[in-house]
Amino acid sequence: VIGSYFFGGTYYSFALISGAFYSFGYPGATGTFAQGINAAGQVVGAYTMDSNLTYHGFITSPITAAVEH
């Protein structure tokens, strides 16, 4: 399960994998929006750095239980 949430004026993304909750945001972004996840655990989505809502794509390294935050 992946998604996004709003907290403190910024949108963040999350992934729920094997019962573990991972929250992340692109550094300096005003919004990070997860849109999909593949079988390897890579999350794809978009982020914006400005109020003009110019979006950029991203793909994460695989998120696994070994990732510590």
Side-chain angles (χ1 to χ4, degrees):
V1 174
I2 54 100
S4 300
Y5 65 95
F6 186 74
F7 179 77
T10 302
Y11 286 92
Y12 297 94
S13 287
F14 69 87
L16 180 63
I17 301 172
S18 299
F21 179 83
Y22 302 94
S23 176
F24 59 94
Y26 192 85
T30 58
T32 303
F33 305 96
Q35 298 173 324
I37 187 168
N38 65 17
Q42 294 172 296
V43 176
V44 297
Y47 68 93
T48 184
M49 303 289 283
D50 57 42
S51 60
N52 293 327
L53 301 179
T54 303
Y55 289 94
H56 310 276
F58 72 83
I59 184 168
T60 67
S61 297
I63 298 174
T64 67
V67 176
E68 294 290 330
H69 294 283

